[in-house]
Amino acid sequence: MCCPLKLLLMPVLLDYSLGLNDLIVSSLELTVHVGDSALMGCVFQSTEEKRVTKVDWMFSSGEHTKDDYVLYYYANLSVPVGRFQNRVRLVGDISRSDGSLLLQNVEEADQGTYTCEIRLEMESLVFKKAVVLHVLPEETKELMAHVGDSIQLGCVLQSTGEKRMTKVDWTFSSGEHAEEEVMLRYHSKLRVLVGNPQNRGRFWNRVTLVGDTSRNDASIMLQGVRESDRGSYTCSIHLGNLTFKKTTVLHVILKEPRTLVTPTALKPEILGGNQLVIIVGIVCGTILLLPVLILIVKNTHRNTSSGTSTALVKSLENIQKADPEKHVYSSITTRELIEEEESSGRAEATYMTMHPVWPSLRSAPNNPPEEKSAGGIPKPEQAF
């Protein structure tokens, strides 16, 4: 039923636009991220109450490209076309000459110029309005925060229209099958935190609406993040009968306790995954090297003691050399001298021949004692 209707209406709509005067309004620009929604306003303001008979939305990706139909409205029938099916819909009040368009799940290929054309009953004038859409890479939908920190959860409906949000709901869910908990509710100019009347909810005094509501910005600030705050946060922006939703997942990281940095504490980071093997190797190596170290220390000590003993012996030898043993001398009186002394009757002179007697000679047991003459004087050797 729909397909024949499309084929029948298309030529009629194209022919209907020929030969009419155009009223063109300066184009507006809108910037969104991939995956977000874009609200493109198209409102014709007139003092005369005339019924809107036709609304067309066209798309052009460049200056020299052919325009493609996005959506057309005729005879109370709104029909999305081409790759925009299931992603666009009219959200304006047609009875008030409002042909605003909502584009959901924006893709990178959606960047370009969107032109709205409104035609009134019994009117040759065509109202045109263009919107230049810029598409940025997708924003992260997962955030991370440490316990005790504050974090901002963004929720903005990008729009060029005059529609303003009338209601905002923020809900929290800790898991897939967990019940959603309302953490903040905004209605018109009144902001209400909803929770248990007795404890006012665990988000009481920790959630603040920081977005500019006049620009459809419903961003909030969550203060004093707790471990139990991890989960999914869903923002719902209401513009009359239109509802825009965005979900953000929050991951909470526990703060590590502050510890004194010591070499032992740094070992796990340095050693990595092989720390156990390295520690065992170090212990085994220490055990094997310990006997060697002990032997080295002992040898060093022994050498030191030997050197000290050697020095002591040399010192004693020097002392002995400096104080040599006293020699023993004996006097030998020859027979001739005795006879002369007896004949002369006086002893004119006495000559003594000194022969050293070494202790070794006195102490040697094998040496026979020398023959001594009378008076204890050693007997002189006879010459042959």
Side-chain angles (χ1 to χ4, degrees), residues 24-157:
I24 302 175
V25 180
S26 59
S27 61
L28 301 176
E29 293 189 2
L30 187 63
T31 302
V32 297
H33 292 269
V34 172
D36 288 348
S37 299
L39 177 60
M40 293 174 276
C42 183
V43 181
F44 176 70
Q45 297 178 349
S46 175
T47 55
E48 299 179 3
E49 295 183 359
K50 292 186 177 182
R51 185 173 64 89
V52 174
T53 58
K54 185 173 181 290
V55 177
D56 292 331
W57 275 96
M58 311 290 293
F59 169 73
S60 175
S61 59
E63 295 181 357
H64 305 288
T65 58
K66 183 180 178 180
D67 291 349
D68 296 326
Y69 265 93
V70 177
L71 178 145
Y72 62 85
Y73 170 87
Y74 181 74
N76 295 327
L77 181 63
S78 177
V79 182
V81 180
R83 64 184 182 85
F84 294 99
Q85 292 184 15
N86 302 324
R87 294 199 299 128
V88 294
R89 62 190 178 102
L90 286 178
V91 294
D93 187 355
I94 298 298
S95 63
R96 296 183 178 181
S97 302
D98 186 354
S100 299
L101 178 76
L102 176 65
L103 174 61
Q104 297 175 315
N105 297 324
V106 173
E107 302 173 357
E108 188 176 355
D110 294 339
Q111 180 167 292
T113 302
Y114 293 79
T115 303
C116 165
E117 297 180 357
I118 294 181
R119 296 178 177 84
L120 302 176
E121 185 181 21
M122 303 300 293
E123 182 67 52
S124 60
L125 186 66
V126 177
F127 172 77
K128 287 186 178 183
K129 186 175 183 179
V131 177
V132 179
L133 182 65
H134 302 282
V135 180
L136 300 178
E138 184 178 5
E139 276 186 316
T140 178
K141 295 181 179 179
E142 296 187 4
L143 300 176
M144 302 182 68
H146 289 84
V147 172
D149 291 348
S150 298
I151 188 169
Q152 181 171 331
L153 304 176
C155 182
V156 182
L157 175 60

Side-chain angles (χ1 to χ4, degrees), residues 171-181 202-203 227-233 249-250:
T171 59
F172 167 75
S173 176
S174 58
E176 295 181 358
H177 305 289
E179 183 179 357
E180 288 190 348
E181 176 183 354
R202 62 192 185 90
F203 292 102
E227 184 179 359
S228 59
D229 290 341
R230 61 164 55 98
S232 300
Y233 294 79
V249 179
L250 178 62

